[in-house]
Amino acid sequence: MSSHHTGALPANPETATLEGKNKVLGFWLFLGAEVVLFGCLFATYIALRNSVPDGPTAEEIFKLKTVGWSTFILLTSSLTSVFAIIAMHRQKVGQLLAWLAVTVLFGLSFLGMEIYEFFEYVHEGHKFTTSAFATSFYTLVGFHGAHVAFGVCWITLLILQGLKKGLTVVTAPKFYVASLYWHFIDLVWVFIFTVVYLMGKVGH
């Protein structure tokens, strides 16, 4: 483990400094903008989801079993990121980094399943340009997938930084903000699972 021992840190090291507070506040503002962005993509999808002149419909191609597993994996990763922040507040650097590493592994598993799912859909004739429904589906779900990939890279870099610098009032806000981001993309997925997949299967 890192030779940089934490020493006595405040109870909430992520907001112990003005810089840390600003980082967390700034991040909430960023998430607000992201909500608007995803909101637009959801609205577009809902408007176009029945626009299937040719090519498969949602009911025909969606496989809830695969998507159910993806959802389970991503929601579990949200839990492991909670454990990471609990470990951070207890100043257990090793546990913090270990839980973050598990979160990354779950994130990679989710991405692997999503890529597999997309290949299956394309194979069944559900390509990006097949219909307005297909285009809006891939844009929304793919945009979320890109956010997951970004989160995986970000948390991986933070783990490396944590190994090098340990837990300080400088690194703590970074871990905290990354955890918030991860919860956000998990929450967005819950909406995608409900609006896209469940409504696609039973909403007609």
Side-chain angles (χ1 to χ4, degrees), residues 8-21:
L9 278 176
N12 294 303
E14 69 275 11
T15 52
T17 63
L18 184 61
E19 189 192 349
K21 283 190 179 112

Side-chain angles (χ1 to χ4, degrees), residues 53-202:
D54 49 46
T57 63
E59 212 170 351
E60 287 165 354
I61 59 156
F62 289 161
K63 295 172 181 65
L64 286 187
K65 192 177 174 186
T66 309
V67 184
W69 276 111
S70 298
T71 304
F72 175 75
I73 286 168
L74 204 59
L75 292 182
T76 306
S77 77
S78 212
L79 192 62
T80 58
S81 75
V82 168
F83 292 154
I85 297 305
I86 291 170
M88 182 180 87
H89 286 150
R90 290 179 180 162
Q91 298 182 28
K92 308 269 189 192
V93 191
Q95 284 180 24
L96 161 67
L97 299 179
W99 282 119
L100 286 177
V102 173
T103 303
V104 163
L105 288 174
F106 278 129
L108 288 169
S109 304
F110 172 84
L111 284 172
M113 288 186 79
E114 188 160 279
I115 290 164
Y116 167 76
E117 183 197 351
F118 280 8
F119 270 118
E120 287 277 292
Y121 292 164
V122 168
H123 182 66
E124 289 179 35
H126 183 55
K127 299 184 177 70
F128 186 79
T129 53
T130 302
S131 61
F133 156 62
T135 305
S136 60
F137 165 79
Y138 283 118
T139 303
L140 172 59
V141 181
F143 191 64
H144 175 268
H147 276 69
V148 175
F150 174 78
V152 162
C153 295
W154 183 12
I155 294 171
T156 302
L157 289 172
L158 286 180
I159 292 169
L160 296 173
Q161 195 174 37
L163 287 168
K164 196 174 166 188
K165 297 182 178 176
L167 181 61
T168 66
V169 289
V170 176
T171 58
K174 295 177 183 178
F175 291 126
Y176 184 75
V177 160
S179 176
L180 281 182
Y181 175 84
W182 199 255
H183 290 314
F184 171 73
I185 53 178
D186 283 4
L187 184 63
V188 170
W189 180 255
V190 171
F191 280 102
I192 289 176
F193 180 68
T194 308
V195 172
V196 176
Y197 293 99
L198 290 183
M199 280 172 61
K201 272 296 193 187
V202 300

